[in-house]
Amino acid sequence: MQPTGNLHIGNYLGALKNWVRIQHDYECIFCIVDLHAVTVYQHPAELRAKILEVAALYLAAGIDPADCAIMVQSAVPAHAELAWMLTCVTPIGWLERMTQYKAKSAKQESIGDGLLQYPVLMAADILLYQAGIVPVGEDQAQHLELTRDVAQRFNSLYGDTFVVPNTSLPTVGARVMGLDDPTQKMSKSATGLNHAVALLDPPAKIRKTIMRATTDSLPAVDFDTAGPGVLNLISIYQAFSAEPDDAIKAKFAGMRYGDLKKQVAEMVVAHLEPFQQRYREITADPAYLAGILRDGAERVAPIANHTVLTVKQRMGLHT
Ligand code: AMP
């Protein structure tokens, strides 16, 4: 995740919650991608603080640092090194087609080169560790496809080097939509007051934001005609509660929107209150957090360095 803005329930349901679920089934590396964050200007002091905030949120969500590595991208120079080598095998047309690049660059007066290269750096983050599975939200599926294409292109030019990774999307919550506008994905950079529920929002604010969510002109839930706002609220509830489809249908069919919103708000508050309590405990001990990040970088650096050495050898670079 990028250490920018406020992490929200979309980040949690699309990515973080699934990381916690699979963390003991695989050898996991969870990165805080600060080099990606600076593809648009970040205030240095705020960025420094956000990196620690995101690390603490990973831990509060339940990532177990005894089993998984939690690390900051810029602490392992191999990320930037491999990104350059991959840049050199990536056609510019592949990058210009990326929908996230098109959306982000449309908002900038002057487009930094880093914004275009963003997915190549992401490919480096993944290929560096020969990752088999990358658990992300749906908005990252296109970047994962590009990562696969870059890996295959490198492998065909220089011989088998990279594992071609698979994308893992959650079945519910892969694309949480904005509460003020359910046609847009919930996003950290959106400015609307009622757009998102941030993971660190106090309960009163969570309730207020959800009670104001946009629905449609019908009075109550009808699964055959429900609009995107209603379906978004129901899928947020289901992603938190992990109830099967038939239980969700039985619970919400015919329910008035006001009651639906109350149920969703209470479900979100019930999950986020203990999460926020753990966050406060973790951030009370900055030395603990710094130690986890140092340890994470030390654990993954040998894997990353080994890949970079192999890539240099394959390309004929000086080693
Ligand atoms: P980012 O905000 O780009 O740092 O994304 C961090 C992770 O959260 C990525 O795996 C995204 O796919 C996921 N994510 C971001 N926004 C959403 C959303 N609205 N719904 C589901 N997943 C999301």
Side-chain angles (χ1 to χ4, degrees):
M1 294 205 191
Q2 294 185 72
T4 53
N6 293 323
L7 261 63
H8 51 63
I9 55 173
N11 299 120
Y12 180 71
L13 299 174
L16 196 46
K17 185 168 182 278
N18 299 300
W19 300 357
V20 175
R21 188 173 51 82
I22 63 167
Q23 65 177 328
H24 300 300
D25 301 337
Y26 302 92
E27 189 185 341
C28 292
I29 300 170
F30 298 115
C31 191
I32 296 156
V33 293
D34 56 347
L35 295 173
H36 277 102
V38 294
T39 53
V40 290
Y41 176 80
Q42 304 296 329
H43 189 282
E46 277 171 25
L47 178 59
R48 223 169 276 133
K50 276 285 163 192
I51 291 168
L52 297 178
E53 181 183 304
V54 174
L57 288 171
Y58 285 6
L59 293 169
I63 299 289
D64 176 4
D67 221 16
C68 311
I70 300 178
M71 41 85 59
V72 182
Q73 188 183 29
S74 65
V76 179
H79 286 252
E81 218 178 344
L82 182 62
W84 174 253
M85 297 168 202
L86 297 180
T87 293
C88 297
V89 302
T90 306
I92 206 162
W94 290 6
L95 301 175
E96 285 167 340
R97 274 201 295 276
M98 294 292 107
T99 51
Q100 197 173 85
Y101 167 71
K102 287 196 232 169
K104 282 193 181 179
S105 58
K107 290 185 204 150
Q108 312 284 320
E109 260 178 49
S110 150
I111 304 161
D113 183 29
L115 214 50
L116 185 66
Q117 303 302 330
Y118 184 110
V120 184
L121 179 58
M122 182 164 161
D125 299 338
I126 295 163
L127 302 179
L128 205 46
Y129 301 103
Q130 307 290 6
I133 289 183
V134 190
V136 286
E138 200 182 83
D139 59 330
Q140 292 303 325
Q142 193 186 35
H143 288 163
L144 259 298
E145 270 313 304
L146 183 103
T147 300
R148 292 168 57 82
D149 290 344
V150 170
Q152 275 157 352
R153 189 176 172 98
F154 190 97
N155 287 350
S156 74
L157 284 170
Y158 294 107
D160 254 2
T161 307
F162 294 119
V163 170
V164 180
N166 288 309
T167 309
S168 164
L169 297 179
T171 45
V172 187
R175 190 174 185 84
V176 176
M177 308 307 281
L179 293 169
D180 56 347
D181 178 1
T183 64
Q184 302 295 319
K185 78 159 186 173
M186 190 176 281
S187 150
K188 286 187 250 168
S189 56
T191 47
L193 269 183
N194 290 312
H195 174 74
V197 171
L199 295 179
L200 295 176
D201 275 349
K205 178 146 190 265
I206 297 174
R207 291 192 178 97
K208 201 162 142 190
T209 309
I210 294 176
M211 291 311 290
R212 289 187 177 169
T214 302
T215 47
D216 52 42
S217 53
L218 298 169
V221 178
D222 174 347
F223 278 93
D224 294 330
T225 53
V230 173
L231 294 176
N232 189 40
L233 286 169
I234 293 173
S235 91
I236 290 171
Y237 182 98
Q238 186 177 15
F240 274 106
S241 75
E243 285 169 37
D245 289 351
D246 46 358
I248 291 291
K249 285 213 160 131
K251 178 173 288 170
F252 291 118
M255 188 181 281
R256 299 190 71 80
Y257 290 160
D259 294 331
L260 163 69
K261 288 176 178 177
K262 269 188 213 145
Q263 296 257 355
V264 177
E266 290 318 311
M267 175 58 70
V268 176
V269 167
H271 274 78
L272 292 191
E273 263 187 330
F275 176 97
Q276 293 174 0
Q277 178 57 31
R278 286 195 295 278
Y279 175 83
R280 284 190 287 272
E281 287 160 16
I282 292 157
T283 47
D285 187 354
Y288 168 71
L289 206 50
I292 301 260
L293 293 177
R294 205 170 37 244
D295 177 58
E298 278 169 13
R299 273 159 70 178
V300 303
I303 314 171
N305 292 339
H306 176 76
T307 304
V308 165
L309 180 64
T310 308
V311 171
K312 282 173 130 181
Q313 286 166 341
R314 295 273 153 85
M315 294 181 90
L317 295 165
H318 184 69
T319 55

PDB file of all heavy atoms in Angstrom, residues 215-227 230 255-258:
ATOM      1  N   THR A 215     -28.072   6.348  -1.902  1.00  0.00           N
ATOM      2  CA  THR A 215     -28.725   5.081  -2.280  1.00  0.00           C
ATOM      3  C   THR A 215     -29.438   5.295  -3.621  1.00  0.00           C
ATOM      4  O   THR A 215     -28.785   5.596  -4.603  1.00  0.00           O
ATOM      5  CB  THR A 215     -29.700   4.607  -1.173  1.00  0.00           C
ATOM      6  OG1 THR A 215     -30.516   5.708  -0.765  1.00  0.00           O
ATOM      7  CG2 THR A 215     -28.962   4.043   0.014  1.00  0.00           C
ATOM      8  N   ASP A 216     -30.737   5.119  -3.661  1.00  0.00           N
ATOM      9  CA  ASP A 216     -31.485   5.429  -4.881  1.00  0.00           C
ATOM     10  C   ASP A 216     -32.889   5.849  -4.466  1.00  0.00           C
ATOM     11  O   ASP A 216     -33.163   6.010  -3.275  1.00  0.00           O
ATOM     12  CB  ASP A 216     -31.476   4.239  -5.860  1.00  0.00           C
ATOM     13  CG  ASP A 216     -31.912   2.947  -5.194  1.00  0.00           C
ATOM     14  OD1 ASP A 216     -32.881   2.989  -4.412  1.00  0.00           O
ATOM     15  OD2 ASP A 216     -31.292   1.900  -5.435  1.00  0.00           O
ATOM     16  N   SER A 217     -33.792   5.990  -5.441  1.00  0.00           N
ATOM     17  CA  SER A 217     -35.088   6.585  -5.105  1.00  0.00           C
ATOM     18  C   SER A 217     -36.090   5.575  -4.547  1.00  0.00           C
ATOM     19  O   SER A 217     -37.193   5.939  -4.158  1.00  0.00           O
ATOM     20  CB  SER A 217     -35.666   7.276  -6.341  1.00  0.00           C
ATOM     21  OG  SER A 217     -35.673   6.335  -7.384  1.00  0.00           O
ATOM     22  N   LEU A 218     -35.707   4.282  -4.489  1.00  0.00           N
ATOM     23  CA  LEU A 218     -36.634   3.291  -3.926  1.00  0.00           C
ATOM     24  C   LEU A 218     -36.595   3.385  -2.397  1.00  0.00           C
ATOM     25  O   LEU A 218     -35.622   3.886  -1.832  1.00  0.00           O
ATOM     26  CB  LEU A 218     -36.210   1.881  -4.369  1.00  0.00           C
ATOM     27  CG  LEU A 218     -36.242   1.635  -5.883  1.00  0.00           C
ATOM     28  CD1 LEU A 218     -35.549   0.329  -6.218  1.00  0.00           C
ATOM     29  CD2 LEU A 218     -37.679   1.640  -6.377  1.00  0.00           C
ATOM     30  N   PRO A 219     -37.626   2.884  -1.708  1.00  0.00           N
ATOM     31  CA  PRO A 219     -37.628   3.006  -0.245  1.00  0.00           C
ATOM     32  C   PRO A 219     -36.895   1.870   0.474  1.00  0.00           C
ATOM     33  O   PRO A 219     -36.379   2.038   1.572  1.00  0.00           O
ATOM     34  CB  PRO A 219     -39.125   2.962   0.104  1.00  0.00           C
ATOM     35  CG  PRO A 219     -39.753   2.196  -1.016  1.00  0.00           C
ATOM     36  CD  PRO A 219     -38.914   2.391  -2.233  1.00  0.00           C
ATOM     37  N   ALA A 220     -36.868   0.681  -0.173  1.00  0.00           N
ATOM     38  CA  ALA A 220     -36.366  -0.491   0.547  1.00  0.00           C
ATOM     39  C   ALA A 220     -35.622  -1.417  -0.418  1.00  0.00           C
ATOM     40  O   ALA A 220     -35.735  -1.284  -1.643  1.00  0.00           O
ATOM     41  CB  ALA A 220     -37.540  -1.239   1.172  1.00  0.00           C
ATOM     42  N   VAL A 221     -34.874  -2.376   0.164  1.00  0.00           N
ATOM     43  CA  VAL A 221     -33.998  -3.227  -0.658  1.00  0.00           C
ATOM     44  C   VAL A 221     -34.826  -4.202  -1.505  1.00  0.00           C
ATOM     45  O   VAL A 221     -35.644  -4.956  -0.984  1.00  0.00           O
ATOM     46  CB  VAL A 221     -33.026  -4.039   0.230  1.00  0.00           C
ATOM     47  CG1 VAL A 221     -32.166  -4.957  -0.634  1.00  0.00           C
ATOM     48  CG2 VAL A 221     -32.179  -3.112   1.085  1.00  0.00           C
ATOM     49  N   ASP A 222     -34.564  -4.144  -2.820  1.00  0.00           N
ATOM     50  CA  ASP A 222     -35.127  -5.132  -3.736  1.00  0.00           C
ATOM     51  C   ASP A 222     -33.929  -5.616  -4.568  1.00  0.00           C
ATOM     52  O   ASP A 222     -33.365  -4.844  -5.357  1.00  0.00           O
ATOM     53  CB  ASP A 222     -36.194  -4.451  -4.616  1.00  0.00           C
ATOM     54  CG  ASP A 222     -36.710  -5.389  -5.699  1.00  0.00           C
ATOM     55  OD1 ASP A 222     -36.090  -6.453  -5.932  1.00  0.00           O
ATOM     56  OD2 ASP A 222     -37.726  -5.045  -6.331  1.00  0.00           O
ATOM     57  N   PHE A 223     -33.515  -6.867  -4.368  1.00  0.00           N
ATOM     58  CA  PHE A 223     -32.275  -7.326  -4.990  1.00  0.00           C
ATOM     59  C   PHE A 223     -32.332  -7.304  -6.516  1.00  0.00           C
ATOM     60  O   PHE A 223     -31.304  -7.255  -7.170  1.00  0.00           O
ATOM     61  CB  PHE A 223     -31.894  -8.717  -4.472  1.00  0.00           C
ATOM     62  CG  PHE A 223     -31.191  -8.645  -3.144  1.00  0.00           C
ATOM     63  CD1 PHE A 223     -31.900  -8.756  -1.958  1.00  0.00           C
ATOM     64  CD2 PHE A 223     -29.820  -8.428  -3.078  1.00  0.00           C
ATOM     65  CE1 PHE A 223     -31.257  -8.658  -0.724  1.00  0.00           C
ATOM     66  CE2 PHE A 223     -29.168  -8.324  -1.857  1.00  0.00           C
ATOM     67  CZ  PHE A 223     -29.881  -8.443  -0.685  1.00  0.00           C
ATOM     68  N   ASP A 224     -33.549  -7.335  -7.097  1.00  0.00           N
ATOM     69  CA  ASP A 224     -33.650  -7.349  -8.565  1.00  0.00           C
ATOM     70  C   ASP A 224     -33.407  -5.966  -9.175  1.00  0.00           C
ATOM     71  O   ASP A 224     -32.962  -5.862 -10.309  1.00  0.00           O
ATOM     72  CB  ASP A 224     -35.041  -7.838  -9.007  1.00  0.00           C
ATOM     73  CG  ASP A 224     -35.236  -9.297  -8.618  1.00  0.00           C
ATOM     74  OD1 ASP A 224     -34.220 -10.023  -8.577  1.00  0.00           O
ATOM     75  OD2 ASP A 224     -36.382  -9.678  -8.319  1.00  0.00           O
ATOM     76  N   THR A 225     -33.718  -4.917  -8.406  1.00  0.00           N
ATOM     77  CA  THR A 225     -33.633  -3.571  -9.006  1.00  0.00           C
ATOM     78  C   THR A 225     -32.664  -2.648  -8.263  1.00  0.00           C
ATOM     79  O   THR A 225     -32.520  -1.492  -8.642  1.00  0.00           O
ATOM     80  CB  THR A 225     -35.030  -2.901  -9.004  1.00  0.00           C
ATOM     81  OG1 THR A 225     -35.533  -2.948  -7.667  1.00  0.00           O
ATOM     82  CG2 THR A 225     -35.987  -3.596  -9.944  1.00  0.00           C
ATOM     83  N   ALA A 226     -32.019  -3.146  -7.217  1.00  0.00           N
ATOM     84  CA  ALA A 226     -31.186  -2.274  -6.367  1.00  0.00           C
ATOM     85  C   ALA A 226     -30.112  -1.569  -7.186  1.00  0.00           C
ATOM     86  O   ALA A 226     -29.467  -2.178  -8.050  1.00  0.00           O
ATOM     87  CB  ALA A 226     -30.548  -3.102  -5.261  1.00  0.00           C
ATOM     88  N   GLY A 227     -29.894  -0.290  -6.904  1.00  0.00           N
ATOM     89  CA  GLY A 227     -28.870   0.497  -7.583  1.00  0.00           C
ATOM     90  C   GLY A 227     -27.498   0.257  -6.954  1.00  0.00           C
ATOM     91  O   GLY A 227     -27.377  -0.431  -5.923  1.00  0.00           O
ATOM     92  N   VAL A 230     -26.899   0.960  -3.037  1.00  0.00           N
ATOM     93  CA  VAL A 230     -27.461  -0.044  -2.126  1.00  0.00           C
ATOM     94  C   VAL A 230     -26.596  -1.305  -2.162  1.00  0.00           C
ATOM     95  O   VAL A 230     -26.242  -1.874  -1.112  1.00  0.00           O
ATOM     96  CB  VAL A 230     -28.923  -0.356  -2.535  1.00  0.00           C
ATOM     97  CG1 VAL A 230     -29.484  -1.513  -1.732  1.00  0.00           C
ATOM     98  CG2 VAL A 230     -29.776   0.891  -2.354  1.00  0.00           C
ATOM     99  N   MET A 255     -35.724  -4.639   3.401  1.00  0.00           N
ATOM    100  CA  MET A 255     -35.363  -3.744   4.515  1.00  0.00           C
ATOM    101  C   MET A 255     -35.326  -2.286   4.041  1.00  0.00           C
ATOM    102  O   MET A 255     -34.813  -1.992   2.960  1.00  0.00           O
ATOM    103  CB  MET A 255     -33.996  -4.149   5.103  1.00  0.00           C
ATOM    104  CG  MET A 255     -33.656  -3.383   6.367  1.00  0.00           C
ATOM    105  SD  MET A 255     -32.035  -3.843   7.040  1.00  0.00           S
ATOM    106  CE  MET A 255     -32.386  -5.364   7.878  1.00  0.00           C
ATOM    107  N   ARG A 256     -35.850  -1.394   4.863  1.00  0.00           N
ATOM    108  CA  ARG A 256     -35.822   0.030   4.505  1.00  0.00           C
ATOM    109  C   ARG A 256     -34.378   0.541   4.553  1.00  0.00           C
ATOM    110  O   ARG A 256     -33.562   0.049   5.338  1.00  0.00           O
ATOM    111  CB  ARG A 256     -36.716   0.844   5.452  1.00  0.00           C
ATOM    112  CG  ARG A 256     -38.189   0.407   5.376  1.00  0.00           C
ATOM    113  CD  ARG A 256     -39.102   1.359   6.111  1.00  0.00           C
ATOM    114  NE  ARG A 256     -39.240   2.645   5.420  1.00  0.00           N
ATOM    115  CZ  ARG A 256     -40.044   2.846   4.372  1.00  0.00           C
ATOM    116  NH1 ARG A 256     -40.783   1.872   3.879  1.00  0.00           N
ATOM    117  NH2 ARG A 256     -40.103   4.037   3.820  1.00  0.00           N
ATOM    118  N   TYR A 257     -34.062   1.506   3.678  1.00  0.00           N
ATOM    119  CA  TYR A 257     -32.672   1.958   3.539  1.00  0.00           C
ATOM    120  C   TYR A 257     -32.087   2.493   4.851  1.00  0.00           C
ATOM    121  O   TYR A 257     -30.909   2.286   5.150  1.00  0.00           O
ATOM    122  CB  TYR A 257     -32.549   3.018   2.440  1.00  0.00           C
ATOM    123  CG  TYR A 257     -32.743   2.461   1.040  1.00  0.00           C
ATOM    124  CD1 TYR A 257     -33.076   3.296  -0.018  1.00  0.00           C
ATOM    125  CD2 TYR A 257     -32.594   1.101   0.778  1.00  0.00           C
ATOM    126  CE1 TYR A 257     -33.249   2.797  -1.302  1.00  0.00           C
ATOM    127  CE2 TYR A 257     -32.776   0.591  -0.499  1.00  0.00           C
ATOM    128  CZ  TYR A 257     -33.109   1.445  -1.528  1.00  0.00           C
ATOM    129  OH  TYR A 257     -33.290   0.945  -2.792  1.00  0.00           O
ATOM    130  N   GLY A 258     -32.938   3.197   5.629  1.00  0.00           N
ATOM    131  CA  GLY A 258     -32.445   3.729   6.915  1.00  0.00           C
ATOM    132  C   GLY A 258     -31.956   2.596   7.819  1.00  0.00           C
ATOM    133  O   GLY A 258     -30.902   2.692   8.454  1.00  0.00           O
TER     134      GLY A 258
END
